[in-house]
Amino acid sequence: MRISLISVTIILAVGFSACTQTTKDYWKTTKSYYYEYVNKPASVDLEDMGIYSPGEGYLAETVPPVERTLERFKRTLFSLGKAPADNWMYAFVQRFPWIEGVALIDTHGTVIHKWPSVSLKEYSYGFIAEDTANPELRHLIGHAEETPLGPHVYVATQIMEMAQPAGHFVVHFDPRALFAHVRGAEEFMVAAPNALLWPGMFEVSATPVAGADWAELTRSSLSGRVYNENGGFVWYCIMVGTLPMVFAAPDEGSFPEAPGQLSMLSAFRGADGGEVVGMAVMTDAPEHEPGVEGVLAPPVADDAGSAFSEDNADEMRSEETLEE
């Protein structure tokens, strides 16, 4: 009896030991799988440049400052709920000196006031009536077109009077006056449906950007690639109201340059000596006194006072305070 009890004790001890050893082996194997496949140790590869292709990398460096500028422009314009006073216009044009003109349009499409009152260009505001976005939601209406004097962009915001729609306030500009301020802008192109906004240094007809259907491409995506026999461009879209503004840079292949094109575009550079302005200061335009010669977009003319409301002169200042 005593021998049997000892034997059973030994058997149980050996079994328990074997079970414990097997569990440890399983746990070691599990841990090795866990750290190998599930939770790999972190490491930094200093040679890895990331997942960007050459074109994507260039757009990632150059587009964000432009996007921030356009975002401030859109937010400031959208915050305008009524026809602006002169002081608001002075601040607005100084803040965004590439603005070329403004217009006040009533609900019937009639131009109530426009500045400049006389211009070499002919401005068309019919795009407002053609807007297909939801009319129940207040929104910015964007439009771009080619003219004999180059591309032109319009952005309109609805204004109210006595809580009722009273028309639209429209800002328009030559996009070359904006993109010429961007350091390195010669390396990319900017397009919109039915208009090339910025050619960069490239021979436009040799690129896939010129022949792309941007209205269709931007309907379902905000980025992508376009190709032709010379290679491909990668593109990224910024919405300016209802207008898709497409930035595109060469990603593969080779594209010819247009001799002298950049010299022509340099005429659209800033008012301060014609130098390219760094994007770091692009959103803080130099403060020029109204009427100073050389300002890219002078303030509203003196005869415009009767066309604008006088009780919103502090809106621009308030909007800037909120941003800070």
Side-chain angles (χ1 to χ4, degrees), residues 13-70:
V14 172
F16 180 77
S17 176
C19 181
T20 302
Q21 185 62 39
T22 303
T23 302
K24 289 182 179 179
D25 292 340
Y26 279 131
W27 178 239
K28 289 180 180 179
T29 303
T30 301
K31 286 198 297 183
S32 65
Y33 287 153
Y34 176 75
Y35 288 117
E36 183 176 357
Y37 298 104
V38 180
N39 187 15
K40 296 182 179 181
S43 61
V44 177
D45 185 355
L46 299 179
E47 301 298 325
D48 185 5
M49 299 302 293
I51 61 174
Y52 293 123
S53 64
E56 289 173 330
Y58 193 82
L59 291 182
E61 292 178 359
T62 57
V63 172
V66 188
E67 189 168 21
R68 287 194 297 270
T69 296
L70 289 172

Side-chain angles (χ1 to χ4, degrees), residues 1-7:
M1 184 70 178
R2 183 180 180 84
I3 296 177
S4 298
L5 183 58
I6 293 174
S7 299

Side-chain angles (χ1 to χ4, degrees), residues 9-163:
T9 301
I10 293 174
I11 293 172
L12 290 175
V14 172
F16 180 77
S17 176
C19 181
T20 302
Q21 185 62 39
T22 303
T23 302
K24 289 182 179 179
D25 292 340
Y26 279 131
W27 178 239
K28 289 180 180 179
T29 303
T30 301
K31 286 198 297 183
S32 65
Y33 287 153
Y34 176 75
Y35 288 117
E36 183 176 357
Y37 298 104
V38 180
N39 187 15
K40 296 182 179 181
S43 61
V44 177
D45 185 355
L46 299 179
E47 301 298 325
D48 185 5
M49 299 302 293
I51 61 174
Y52 293 123
S53 64
E56 289 173 330
Y58 193 82
L59 291 182
E61 292 178 359
T62 57
V63 172
V66 188
E67 189 168 21
R68 287 194 297 270
T69 296
L70 289 172
E71 188 60 35
R72 287 190 176 190
F73 167 75
K74 292 186 295 180
R75 188 166 59 247
T76 303
L77 188 58
F78 188 74
S79 69
L80 182 67
K82 51 193 171 184
D86 288 348
N87 289 344
W88 191 95
M89 275 302 307
Y90 295 158
F92 185 59
V93 174
Q94 286 181 355
R95 190 180 189 193
F96 307 107
W98 31 270
I99 292 172
E100 187 171 301
V102 301
L104 194 62
I105 313 296
D106 68 11
T107 54
H108 302 290
T110 303
V111 179
I112 302 301
H113 173 77
K114 66 178 181 179
W115 169 82
S117 56
V118 179
S119 175
L120 293 176
K121 294 182 179 180
E122 293 185 5
Y123 304 116
S124 174
Y125 306 102
F127 69 93
I128 297 175
E130 299 170 358
D131 179 45
T132 58
N134 186 352
E136 301 297 324
L137 298 176
R138 185 170 177 269
H139 59 279
L140 296 180
I141 305 173
H143 176 70
E145 62 183 21
E146 294 277 4
T147 76
L149 295 178
H152 214 70
V153 172
Y154 301 80
V155 186
T157 186
Q158 188 179 58
I159 57 175
M160 310 292 287
E161 185 175 334
M162 301 296 290

Side-chain angles (χ1 to χ4, degrees), residues 250-311:
D251 201 48
E252 56 183 272
S254 179
F255 299 92
E257 299 180 11
Q261 187 160 267
L262 291 179
S263 298
M264 181 271 292
L265 293 175
S266 67
F268 294 92
R269 290 177 178 169
D272 295 332
E275 297 181 356
V276 177
V277 180
M279 287 300 299
V281 298
M282 185 173 168
T283 55
D284 297 312
E287 293 189 2
H288 298 279
E289 291 297 323
V292 172
E293 184 178 358
V295 177
L296 191 60
V300 176
D302 294 337
D303 61 355
S306 60
F308 298 112
S309 165
E310 292 297 334
D311 55 356

